[in-house]
Amino acid sequence: MEALTRHHCPLLAATAAAAALSFSGIDAFTMPRPLSIKRSQTSLAVSIGLGPENDGPSTKDSGEVAAADDIPADDAAAKKEEKIGWYDPDRIITGEDGLPLPHITDFEPFRTSRMSKSDIAADAWFGALLESPGDSFLGKISEEHRNRLMSKVELVDEPILKYGEDEEWTPYVTRRLPTSPLYPAYGLETYGLPVLRRGAEAWRHYDVNSLTAMDYSATPEGIGSDLELEAGQKEVVIDSLKEKGAWLDDEQCAARLVYVNGRFCPELSMQTDDVKNLDSSHFEAGLPEKTMEYLARLPDGFTDKLAAEVPDDDKVLTSQAKLSAPDHCVGEATSQFAINNQQGTAAFAALNSVKAGCVAYVEANGVEKKPVLIINAQSPSGGNSDSEKGVAFHPRTLAVANDGSISSLVQMYADIDDHS
């Protein structure tokens, strides 16, 4: 389809040029003759982003004024106000057969119409992860992020901003024809956060089809609860981790949190007041407001409030969508232009909140010379030896560095034997 479109571009350009010549009174296939130049019915300056013209009304404007002589002033003003926006219900666009094309105002039937087989498979793969067996353990955070995933993006046109009245007005806008449908941004057809796509900028160097061909919807047994080791097993696991260079003894680190197949192992860990595992009991009892705010943040601008205020001349910026506004505005995270610059991790961050069994919490206060070690170990079975499917577990770490703090955080991932 792309090749076909490119092939037709010269034809469309030639057609547009011929239309312009014909409109100006030029016969493109005869000798030129003296012209009486007519004013265009559209403002070229506006269409190419030069801003409104100030050289008097156009022919169309004059015609509208003349036609409005017999219309009461209030009605004429209301009709003119109605047509300020991009959508004119009286506008007629004809098809190749010369008949008027219907205006499209209901976009839902077109929401998934552009999806390829690869896109459909990716959504099904992600849905299997999201709906895999097991509870959620992060309380309000799990609930909020699940709702965010399941709330489809609303298909609405961007509001019309008026030149000279709205500070965020910019000529760099894109409008659809009223006979064309409005589609969701790439990856937002099914879920409220963009799911991986083979052709998306964030994933175009990754083999998405191979990933989504494997079912990872099995979950580790006992997720959400602590892992208790059997007698003599502690030394075996420590030796296995040391062989892989994934271990620091107590005197070598400030704290240590160890997770095996997504489950916290207290016997292998060394917790402090500032470095600890947060399980469902912490969320049920209530965590500090700031901690909940940090856990609720989504990447790629899907939490629009910036983590820190950004000074900008005489004002302070707090919104990611408004950065570099108005002409180079980042825009809403769900817009196609914004998604092209994202890392494609927002949907997985929300999935993590829904499926994670606990959170590794690290808070830095003051100066600490020894490192904090977080180990995520996994066995070949992934903690579910009875399942023929692939197993997914979702490690989560929250690191908070307070003012004036200096700390070192080391995260390691290691494979261990099922018997250890």
Side-chain angles (χ1 to χ4, degrees), residues 52-117:
E53 294 181 308
N54 295 315
D55 53 356
S58 66
T59 303
K60 182 178 180 181
D61 294 333
S62 301
E64 288 179 349
V65 173
D69 287 343
D70 299 331
I71 302 176
D74 292 343
D75 293 344
K79 188 172 185 63
K80 185 175 182 180
E81 178 70 21
E82 178 184 359
K83 294 189 178 183
I84 286 179
W86 68 271
Y87 179 68
D88 181 358
D90 298 327
R91 184 177 183 183
I92 297 177
I93 300 176
T94 59
E96 294 181 356
D97 56 3
L99 298 177
L101 296 173
H103 287 200
I104 299 176
T105 56
D106 180 14
F107 311 124
E108 280 302 320
F110 303 92
R111 181 181 287 274
T112 60
S113 61
R114 297 191 303 176
M115 295 178 66
S116 66
K117 291 182 179 180

Short mmCIF file of all heavy atoms in Angstrom, two decimals, residues 52-117:
data_model
loop_
_atom_site.label_atom_id
_atom_site.label_comp_id
_atom_site.label_asym_id
_atom_site.label_seq_id
_atom_site.Cartn_x
_atom_site.Cartn_y
_atom_site.Cartn_z
N PRO A 52 -2.64 33.82 9.79
CA PRO A 52 -3.77 34.48 9.12
C PRO A 52 -3.32 35.65 8.27
O PRO A 52 -2.35 36.33 8.58
CB PRO A 52 -4.64 34.93 10.28
CG PRO A 52 -4.21 34.11 11.44
CD PRO A 52 -2.76 33.83 11.22
N GLU A 53 -4.04 35.90 7.17
CA GLU A 53 -3.75 37.04 6.31
C GLU A 53 -4.45 38.28 6.86
O GLU A 53 -5.48 38.20 7.52
CB GLU A 53 -4.24 36.77 4.89
CG GLU A 53 -3.49 35.66 4.20
CD GLU A 53 -3.99 35.44 2.80
OE1 GLU A 53 -5.21 35.30 2.66
OE2 GLU A 53 -3.19 35.44 1.87
N ASN A 54 -3.91 39.42 6.55
CA ASN A 54 -4.49 40.68 7.00
C ASN A 54 -4.78 41.60 5.81
O ASN A 54 -4.79 42.82 5.94
CB ASN A 54 -3.54 41.40 7.96
CG ASN A 54 -3.33 40.63 9.24
OD1 ASN A 54 -4.29 40.13 9.81
ND2 ASN A 54 -2.08 40.51 9.67
N ASP A 55 -4.97 41.01 4.62
CA ASP A 55 -5.13 41.83 3.42
C ASP A 55 -6.57 41.83 2.93
O ASP A 55 -6.84 41.86 1.76
CB ASP A 55 -4.20 41.34 2.31
CG ASP A 55 -4.37 39.85 2.04
OD1 ASP A 55 -5.15 39.23 2.79
OD2 ASP A 55 -3.74 39.34 1.09
N GLY A 56 -7.49 41.78 3.84
CA GLY A 56 -8.89 41.91 3.47
C GLY A 56 -9.56 40.57 3.28
O GLY A 56 -8.92 39.54 3.25
N PRO A 57 -10.89 40.56 3.14
CA PRO A 57 -11.65 39.32 3.01
C PRO A 57 -11.44 38.67 1.66
O PRO A 57 -11.12 39.33 0.68
CB PRO A 57 -13.11 39.79 3.18
CG PRO A 57 -13.10 41.21 2.69
CD PRO A 57 -11.75 41.76 3.10
N SER A 58 -11.58 37.35 1.62
CA SER A 58 -11.46 36.61 0.38
C SER A 58 -12.77 36.64 -0.38
O SER A 58 -13.78 37.15 0.11
CB SER A 58 -11.07 35.16 0.67
OG SER A 58 -12.13 34.53 1.35
N THR A 59 -12.75 36.07 -1.60
CA THR A 59 -13.98 36.02 -2.39
C THR A 59 -15.06 35.27 -1.66
O THR A 59 -16.22 35.65 -1.64
CB THR A 59 -13.69 35.33 -3.74
OG1 THR A 59 -12.65 36.03 -4.40
CG2 THR A 59 -14.93 35.30 -4.62
N LYS A 60 -14.64 34.19 -0.98
CA LYS A 60 -15.60 33.38 -0.23
C LYS A 60 -16.20 34.20 0.89
O LYS A 60 -17.40 34.17 1.14
CB LYS A 60 -14.92 32.13 0.30
CG LYS A 60 -15.87 31.21 1.05
CD LYS A 60 -15.13 29.97 1.50
CE LYS A 60 -16.10 29.04 2.25
NZ LYS A 60 -15.42 27.84 2.73
N ASP A 61 -15.32 34.96 1.60
CA ASP A 61 -15.82 35.79 2.69
C ASP A 61 -16.84 36.80 2.18
O ASP A 61 -17.87 37.04 2.78
CB ASP A 61 -14.66 36.52 3.37
CG ASP A 61 -13.72 35.57 4.06
OD1 ASP A 61 -14.20 34.49 4.45
OD2 ASP A 61 -12.53 35.90 4.21
N SER A 62 -16.53 37.43 1.00
CA SER A 62 -17.43 38.43 0.44
C SER A 62 -18.76 37.82 0.10
O SER A 62 -19.81 38.39 0.35
CB SER A 62 -16.79 39.05 -0.80
OG SER A 62 -15.55 39.65 -0.48
N GLY A 63 -18.70 36.60 -0.47
CA GLY A 63 -19.94 35.93 -0.81
C GLY A 63 -20.77 35.63 0.41
O GLY A 63 -21.98 35.77 0.41
N GLU A 64 -20.10 35.22 1.49
CA GLU A 64 -20.83 34.90 2.72
C GLU A 64 -21.47 36.15 3.29
O GLU A 64 -22.59 36.13 3.79
CB GLU A 64 -19.89 34.26 3.72
CG GLU A 64 -19.48 32.85 3.35
CD GLU A 64 -18.54 32.27 4.37
OE1 GLU A 64 -18.06 33.03 5.21
OE2 GLU A 64 -18.28 31.05 4.29
N VAL A 65 -20.76 37.29 3.22
CA VAL A 65 -21.31 38.53 3.74
C VAL A 65 -22.54 38.95 2.94
O VAL A 65 -23.56 39.34 3.49
CB VAL A 65 -20.24 39.65 3.72
CG1 VAL A 65 -20.85 40.97 4.09
CG2 VAL A 65 -19.12 39.30 4.68
N ALA A 66 -22.42 38.83 1.60
CA ALA A 66 -23.54 39.22 0.75
C ALA A 66 -24.74 38.33 1.00
O ALA A 66 -25.87 38.79 1.05
CB ALA A 66 -23.13 39.15 -0.72
N ALA A 67 -24.46 37.04 1.17
CA ALA A 67 -25.57 36.11 1.37
C ALA A 67 -26.20 36.27 2.73
O ALA A 67 -27.32 35.85 2.96
CB ALA A 67 -25.08 34.68 1.18
N ALA A 68 -25.47 36.89 3.63
CA ALA A 68 -25.96 37.01 5.00
C ALA A 68 -26.75 38.29 5.23
O ALA A 68 -27.16 38.57 6.35
CB ALA A 68 -24.78 36.96 5.97
N ASP A 69 -26.94 39.12 4.16
CA ASP A 69 -27.63 40.39 4.35
C ASP A 69 -29.03 40.21 4.89
O ASP A 69 -29.52 41.03 5.67
CB ASP A 69 -27.67 41.14 3.02
CG ASP A 69 -26.30 41.70 2.65
OD1 ASP A 69 -25.45 41.77 3.57
OD2 ASP A 69 -26.08 42.04 1.48
N ASP A 70 -29.68 39.14 4.43
CA ASP A 70 -31.07 38.92 4.84
C ASP A 70 -31.19 38.07 6.09
O ASP A 70 -32.30 37.71 6.48
CB ASP A 70 -31.84 38.26 3.69
CG ASP A 70 -31.85 39.15 2.45
OD1 ASP A 70 -31.79 40.38 2.61
OD2 ASP A 70 -31.90 38.59 1.33
N ILE A 71 -30.05 37.67 6.70
CA ILE A 71 -30.06 36.83 7.89
C ILE A 71 -29.92 37.70 9.12
O ILE A 71 -29.09 38.62 9.13
CB ILE A 71 -28.92 35.81 7.84
CG1 ILE A 71 -29.04 34.95 6.59
CG2 ILE A 71 -28.92 34.92 9.10
CD1 ILE A 71 -27.91 33.97 6.41
N PRO A 72 -30.71 37.48 10.15
CA PRO A 72 -30.55 38.26 11.39
C PRO A 72 -29.12 38.20 11.89
O PRO A 72 -28.43 37.19 11.74
CB PRO A 72 -31.52 37.57 12.36
CG PRO A 72 -32.54 36.91 11.48
CD PRO A 72 -31.80 36.52 10.23
N ALA A 73 -28.67 39.28 12.48
CA ALA A 73 -27.27 39.39 12.91
C ALA A 73 -26.87 38.27 13.85
O ALA A 73 -25.78 37.70 13.73
CB ALA A 73 -27.05 40.75 13.57
N ASP A 74 -27.74 37.93 14.80
CA ASP A 74 -27.41 36.88 15.76
C ASP A 74 -27.24 35.54 15.08
O ASP A 74 -26.30 34.78 15.37
CB ASP A 74 -28.50 36.78 16.84
CG ASP A 74 -28.52 38.03 17.73
OD1 ASP A 74 -27.52 38.78 17.70
OD2 ASP A 74 -29.53 38.24 18.41
N ASP A 75 -28.14 35.22 14.12
CA ASP A 75 -28.04 33.94 13.42
C ASP A 75 -26.81 33.89 12.54
O ASP A 75 -26.13 32.86 12.43
CB ASP A 75 -29.30 33.72 12.57
CG ASP A 75 -30.54 33.54 13.42
OD1 ASP A 75 -30.37 33.28 14.64
OD2 ASP A 75 -31.66 33.65 12.90
N ALA A 76 -26.49 35.00 11.88
CA ALA A 76 -25.31 35.03 11.02
C ALA A 76 -24.05 34.84 11.83
O ALA A 76 -23.12 34.13 11.42
CB ALA A 76 -25.26 36.37 10.27
N ALA A 77 -23.99 35.48 12.99
CA ALA A 77 -22.81 35.34 13.86
C ALA A 77 -22.66 33.91 14.34
O ALA A 77 -21.56 33.36 14.39
CB ALA A 77 -22.91 36.30 15.04
N ALA A 78 -23.80 33.28 14.68
CA ALA A 78 -23.76 31.90 15.17
C ALA A 78 -23.28 30.96 14.07
O ALA A 78 -22.49 30.05 14.31
CB ALA A 78 -25.13 31.48 15.67
N LYS A 79 -23.76 31.21 12.82
CA LYS A 79 -23.36 30.34 11.71
C LYS A 79 -21.88 30.49 11.41
O LYS A 79 -21.17 29.52 11.16
CB LYS A 79 -24.20 30.67 10.48
CG LYS A 79 -24.00 29.69 9.32
CD LYS A 79 -25.00 29.96 8.23
CE LYS A 79 -24.88 28.91 7.12
NZ LYS A 79 -25.18 27.56 7.59
N LYS A 80 -21.38 31.74 11.47
CA LYS A 80 -19.96 31.97 11.21
C LYS A 80 -19.11 31.32 12.30
O LYS A 80 -18.07 30.73 12.02
CB LYS A 80 -19.68 33.48 11.16
CG LYS A 80 -18.24 33.80 10.77
CD LYS A 80 -18.04 35.29 10.60
CE LYS A 80 -16.62 35.59 10.18
NZ LYS A 80 -16.38 37.03 10.02
N GLU A 81 -19.56 31.41 13.54
CA GLU A 81 -18.82 30.80 14.65
C GLU A 81 -18.76 29.30 14.49
O GLU A 81 -17.76 28.65 14.78
CB GLU A 81 -19.49 31.17 15.98
CG GLU A 81 -18.85 30.57 17.21
CD GLU A 81 -17.50 31.19 17.51
OE1 GLU A 81 -17.24 32.31 17.03
OE2 GLU A 81 -16.71 30.56 18.22
N GLU A 82 -19.88 28.71 13.98
CA GLU A 82 -19.94 27.27 13.81
C GLU A 82 -18.89 26.78 12.80
O GLU A 82 -18.33 25.70 12.93
CB GLU A 82 -21.33 26.87 13.32
CG GLU A 82 -21.50 25.38 13.07
CD GLU A 82 -22.85 25.04 12.48
OE1 GLU A 82 -23.66 25.97 12.28
OE2 GLU A 82 -23.10 23.87 12.21
N LYS A 83 -18.55 27.61 11.80
CA LYS A 83 -17.64 27.20 10.73
C LYS A 83 -16.20 27.63 10.97
O LYS A 83 -15.36 27.46 10.11
CB LYS A 83 -18.14 27.74 9.40
CG LYS A 83 -19.47 27.11 8.97
CD LYS A 83 -19.83 27.50 7.55
CE LYS A 83 -21.12 26.81 7.11
NZ LYS A 83 -21.46 27.12 5.72
N ILE A 84 -15.94 28.22 12.14
CA ILE A 84 -14.56 28.58 12.44
C ILE A 84 -13.70 27.32 12.58
O ILE A 84 -12.55 27.29 12.18
CB ILE A 84 -14.48 29.42 13.73
CG1 ILE A 84 -14.98 30.84 13.44
CG2 ILE A 84 -13.06 29.48 14.27
CD1 ILE A 84 -14.99 31.74 14.64
N GLY A 85 -14.29 26.27 13.16
CA GLY A 85 -13.55 25.03 13.33
C GLY A 85 -13.29 24.36 11.99
O GLY A 85 -13.75 24.79 10.94
N TRP A 86 -12.53 23.23 12.05
CA TRP A 86 -12.16 22.54 10.83
C TRP A 86 -13.34 21.82 10.22
O TRP A 86 -13.40 21.57 9.02
CB TRP A 86 -11.06 21.53 11.12
CG TRP A 86 -11.54 20.40 11.97
CD1 TRP A 86 -11.55 20.34 13.31
CD2 TRP A 86 -12.11 19.18 11.51
NE1 TRP A 86 -12.09 19.17 13.74
CE2 TRP A 86 -12.45 18.43 12.66
CE3 TRP A 86 -12.38 18.65 10.25
CZ2 TRP A 86 -13.04 17.18 12.58
CZ3 TRP A 86 -12.97 17.40 10.19
CH2 TRP A 86 -13.29 16.68 11.34
N TYR A 87 -14.35 21.47 11.02
CA TYR A 87 -15.45 20.64 10.52
C TYR A 87 -16.61 21.51 10.09
O TYR A 87 -17.20 22.24 10.88
CB TYR A 87 -15.90 19.65 11.58
CG TYR A 87 -17.06 18.78 11.10
CD1 TYR A 87 -16.86 17.85 10.11
CD2 TYR A 87 -18.34 18.93 11.62
CE1 TYR A 87 -17.90 17.06 9.64
CE2 TYR A 87 -19.38 18.15 11.17
CZ TYR A 87 -19.16 17.22 10.18
OH TYR A 87 -20.17 16.44 9.71
N ASP A 88 -16.94 21.45 8.82
CA ASP A 88 -18.07 22.17 8.25
C ASP A 88 -19.09 21.14 7.78
O ASP A 88 -18.84 20.40 6.82
CB ASP A 88 -17.61 23.04 7.07
CG ASP A 88 -18.77 23.82 6.46
OD1 ASP A 88 -19.91 23.65 6.93
OD2 ASP A 88 -18.52 24.59 5.51
N PRO A 89 -20.23 21.03 8.47
CA PRO A 89 -21.21 20.00 8.10
C PRO A 89 -21.77 20.19 6.70
O PRO A 89 -22.32 19.24 6.12
CB PRO A 89 -22.30 20.15 9.17
CG PRO A 89 -22.13 21.53 9.71
CD PRO A 89 -20.68 21.85 9.61
N ASP A 90 -21.62 21.39 6.13
CA ASP A 90 -22.16 21.64 4.79
C ASP A 90 -21.13 21.40 3.69
O ASP A 90 -21.44 21.53 2.51
CB ASP A 90 -22.66 23.09 4.69
CG ASP A 90 -23.81 23.36 5.67
OD1 ASP A 90 -24.59 22.41 5.91
OD2 ASP A 90 -23.90 24.49 6.17
N ARG A 91 -19.90 21.07 4.08
CA ARG A 91 -18.85 20.89 3.08
C ARG A 91 -19.11 19.61 2.28
O ARG A 91 -19.43 18.56 2.84
CB ARG A 91 -17.49 20.80 3.76
CG ARG A 91 -16.32 20.71 2.79
CD ARG A 91 -15.01 20.69 3.53
NE ARG A 91 -13.87 20.68 2.61
CZ ARG A 91 -12.61 20.60 3.00
NH1 ARG A 91 -12.32 20.53 4.29
NH2 ARG A 91 -11.64 20.59 2.11
N ILE A 92 -18.95 19.71 0.98
CA ILE A 92 -19.20 18.57 0.09
C ILE A 92 -17.88 18.12 -0.54
O ILE A 92 -17.16 18.92 -1.13
CB ILE A 92 -20.21 18.93 -1.01
CG1 ILE A 92 -21.57 19.27 -0.39
CG2 ILE A 92 -20.35 17.77 -2.00
CD1 ILE A 92 -22.60 19.72 -1.40
N ILE A 93 -17.57 16.84 -0.38
CA ILE A 93 -16.40 16.24 -1.01
C ILE A 93 -16.88 15.09 -1.87
O ILE A 93 -17.59 14.20 -1.38
CB ILE A 93 -15.40 15.75 0.04
CG1 ILE A 93 -14.92 16.92 0.91
CG2 ILE A 93 -14.21 15.07 -0.61
CD1 ILE A 93 -14.00 16.51 2.03
N THR A 94 -16.52 15.11 -3.13
CA THR A 94 -17.02 14.09 -4.05
C THR A 94 -15.99 13.01 -4.26
O THR A 94 -14.78 13.23 -4.15
CB THR A 94 -17.38 14.72 -5.41
OG1 THR A 94 -16.22 15.35 -5.95
CG2 THR A 94 -18.49 15.75 -5.25
N GLY A 95 -16.47 11.83 -4.59
CA GLY A 95 -15.61 10.71 -4.89
C GLY A 95 -15.25 10.65 -6.36
O GLY A 95 -15.54 11.57 -7.13
N GLU A 96 -14.62 9.56 -6.77
CA GLU A 96 -14.22 9.41 -8.18
C GLU A 96 -15.42 9.38 -9.11
O GLU A 96 -15.31 9.74 -10.28
CB GLU A 96 -13.39 8.14 -8.34
CG GLU A 96 -12.05 8.18 -7.62
CD GLU A 96 -11.26 6.91 -7.82
OE1 GLU A 96 -11.80 5.98 -8.46
OE2 GLU A 96 -10.11 6.85 -7.35
N ASP A 97 -16.56 8.95 -8.57
CA ASP A 97 -17.77 8.90 -9.41
C ASP A 97 -18.51 10.22 -9.44
O ASP A 97 -19.56 10.35 -10.06
CB ASP A 97 -18.70 7.80 -8.91
CG ASP A 97 -19.07 7.95 -7.44
OD1 ASP A 97 -18.64 8.96 -6.82
OD2 ASP A 97 -19.76 7.07 -6.90
N GLY A 98 -17.97 11.23 -8.75
CA GLY A 98 -18.60 12.55 -8.75
C GLY A 98 -19.70 12.71 -7.72
O GLY A 98 -20.26 13.80 -7.57
N LEU A 99 -20.04 11.65 -7.00
CA LEU A 99 -21.09 11.72 -6.00
C LEU A 99 -20.51 12.13 -4.65
O LEU A 99 -19.35 11.83 -4.33
CB LEU A 99 -21.78 10.36 -5.88
CG LEU A 99 -22.49 9.84 -7.14
CD1 LEU A 99 -23.06 8.45 -6.89
CD2 LEU A 99 -23.58 10.82 -7.56
N PRO A 100 -21.29 12.83 -3.84
CA PRO A 100 -20.80 13.28 -2.53
C PRO A 100 -20.46 12.09 -1.62
O PRO A 100 -21.18 11.09 -1.59
CB PRO A 100 -21.98 14.09 -1.96
CG PRO A 100 -22.83 14.43 -3.15
CD PRO A 100 -22.66 13.31 -4.12
N LEU A 101 -19.35 12.21 -0.92
CA LEU A 101 -18.96 11.19 0.06
C LEU A 101 -19.58 11.52 1.41
O LEU A 101 -19.65 12.70 1.79
CB LEU A 101 -17.44 11.14 0.19
CG LEU A 101 -16.66 10.71 -1.06
CD1 LEU A 101 -15.16 10.88 -0.82
CD2 LEU A 101 -16.97 9.26 -1.40
N PRO A 102 -20.02 10.52 2.16
CA PRO A 102 -20.63 10.80 3.47
C PRO A 102 -19.58 11.25 4.49
O PRO A 102 -18.44 10.79 4.45
CB PRO A 102 -21.22 9.44 3.86
CG PRO A 102 -20.39 8.44 3.14
CD PRO A 102 -20.00 9.09 1.84
N HIS A 103 -19.96 12.15 5.37
CA HIS A 103 -19.08 12.56 6.45
C HIS A 103 -19.06 11.48 7.53
O HIS A 103 -20.08 10.88 7.84
CB HIS A 103 -19.57 13.88 7.05
CG HIS A 103 -19.32 15.06 6.16
ND1 HIS A 103 -19.29 16.35 6.62
CD2 HIS A 103 -19.08 15.14 4.81
CE1 HIS A 103 -19.05 17.18 5.62
NE2 HIS A 103 -18.93 16.46 4.51
N ILE A 104 -17.87 11.24 8.08
CA ILE A 104 -17.71 10.21 9.11
C ILE A 104 -17.62 10.87 10.47
O ILE A 104 -16.72 11.68 10.72
CB ILE A 104 -16.45 9.36 8.84
CG1 ILE A 104 -16.58 8.66 7.49
CG2 ILE A 104 -16.24 8.34 9.96
CD1 ILE A 104 -15.34 7.87 7.09
N THR A 105 -18.55 10.55 11.34
CA THR A 105 -18.54 11.10 12.70
C THR A 105 -18.44 10.01 13.76
O THR A 105 -18.15 10.31 14.92
CB THR A 105 -19.83 11.93 12.95
OG1 THR A 105 -20.98 11.10 12.69
CG2 THR A 105 -19.86 13.15 12.03
N ASP A 106 -18.67 8.75 13.38
CA ASP A 106 -18.53 7.62 14.31
C ASP A 106 -17.27 6.85 13.92
O ASP A 106 -17.21 6.23 12.86
CB ASP A 106 -19.75 6.71 14.23
CG ASP A 106 -19.64 5.53 15.20
OD1 ASP A 106 -18.76 5.57 16.08
OD2 ASP A 106 -20.44 4.57 15.06
N PHE A 107 -16.25 6.91 14.79
CA PHE A 107 -14.95 6.33 14.44
C PHE A 107 -14.73 4.93 15.01
O PHE A 107 -13.75 4.27 14.64
CB PHE A 107 -13.83 7.25 14.95
CG PHE A 107 -14.02 8.69 14.57
CD1 PHE A 107 -14.04 9.68 15.54
CD2 PHE A 107 -14.19 9.05 13.25
CE1 PHE A 107 -14.22 11.01 15.19
CE2 PHE A 107 -14.37 10.39 12.89
CZ PHE A 107 -14.39 11.36 13.87
N GLU A 108 -15.57 4.47 15.89
CA GLU A 108 -15.37 3.18 16.54
C GLU A 108 -15.25 2.01 15.55
O GLU A 108 -14.42 1.12 15.75
CB GLU A 108 -16.48 2.90 17.55
CG GLU A 108 -16.30 3.61 18.87
CD GLU A 108 -14.98 3.25 19.54
OE1 GLU A 108 -14.59 2.07 19.50
OE2 GLU A 108 -14.33 4.15 20.08
N PRO A 109 -16.06 1.99 14.47
CA PRO A 109 -15.92 0.87 13.53
C PRO A 109 -14.54 0.81 12.87
O PRO A 109 -14.18 -0.22 12.31
CB PRO A 109 -17.02 1.15 12.48
CG PRO A 109 -18.02 2.00 13.20
CD PRO A 109 -17.23 2.84 14.14
N PHE A 110 -13.78 1.90 12.94
CA PHE A 110 -12.47 1.95 12.29
C PHE A 110 -11.32 1.76 13.28
O PHE A 110 -10.16 1.77 12.88
CB PHE A 110 -12.29 3.29 11.58
CG PHE A 110 -13.36 3.60 10.56
CD1 PHE A 110 -14.48 4.32 10.92
CD2 PHE A 110 -13.24 3.14 9.27
CE1 PHE A 110 -15.47 4.59 9.98
CE2 PHE A 110 -14.21 3.41 8.33
CZ PHE A 110 -15.34 4.14 8.68
N ARG A 111 -11.62 1.56 14.56
CA ARG A 111 -10.57 1.53 15.59
C ARG A 111 -9.52 0.46 15.29
O ARG A 111 -8.31 0.70 15.44
CB ARG A 111 -11.19 1.28 16.97
CG ARG A 111 -10.17 1.26 18.09
CD ARG A 111 -10.83 0.98 19.43
NE ARG A 111 -11.58 2.12 19.90
CZ ARG A 111 -11.06 3.14 20.61
NH1 ARG A 111 -9.77 3.13 20.91
NH2 ARG A 111 -11.82 4.12 21.02
N THR A 112 -9.92 -0.71 14.90
CA THR A 112 -8.98 -1.81 14.68
C THR A 112 -8.81 -2.15 13.19
O THR A 112 -8.20 -3.16 12.86
CB THR A 112 -9.45 -3.08 15.42
OG1 THR A 112 -10.74 -3.47 14.93
CG2 THR A 112 -9.55 -2.82 16.92
N SER A 113 -9.32 -1.31 12.31
CA SER A 113 -9.34 -1.66 10.88
C SER A 113 -7.95 -1.66 10.25
O SER A 113 -7.75 -2.27 9.20
CB SER A 113 -10.26 -0.69 10.12
OG SER A 113 -9.80 0.64 10.24
N ARG A 114 -6.97 -0.97 10.85
CA ARG A 114 -5.63 -0.91 10.25
C ARG A 114 -4.69 -1.97 10.81
O ARG A 114 -3.53 -2.04 10.40
CB ARG A 114 -5.01 0.47 10.48
CG ARG A 114 -5.74 1.61 9.83
CD ARG A 114 -4.91 2.88 9.89
NE ARG A 114 -4.56 3.24 11.26
CZ ARG A 114 -3.77 4.27 11.59
NH1 ARG A 114 -3.23 5.00 10.62
NH2 ARG A 114 -3.51 4.55 12.84
N MET A 115 -5.15 -2.80 11.74
CA MET A 115 -4.27 -3.76 12.38
C MET A 115 -3.90 -4.90 11.44
O MET A 115 -4.74 -5.44 10.73
CB MET A 115 -4.94 -4.33 13.64
CG MET A 115 -5.16 -3.30 14.74
SD MET A 115 -6.00 -3.99 16.18
CE MET A 115 -4.76 -5.14 16.79
N SER A 116 -2.61 -5.24 11.46
CA SER A 116 -2.12 -6.38 10.68
C SER A 116 -2.23 -7.66 11.52
O SER A 116 -2.57 -7.61 12.70
CB SER A 116 -0.66 -6.15 10.28
OG SER A 116 0.16 -6.14 11.44
N LYS A 117 -1.92 -8.79 10.91
CA LYS A 117 -1.92 -10.05 11.67
C LYS A 117 -0.90 -10.01 12.80
O LYS A 117 -1.14 -10.54 13.89
CB LYS A 117 -1.62 -11.22 10.73
CG LYS A 117 -2.73 -11.50 9.72
CD LYS A 117 -2.38 -12.69 8.85
CE LYS A 117 -3.49 -12.99 7.85
NZ LYS A 117 -3.14 -14.16 6.98
#
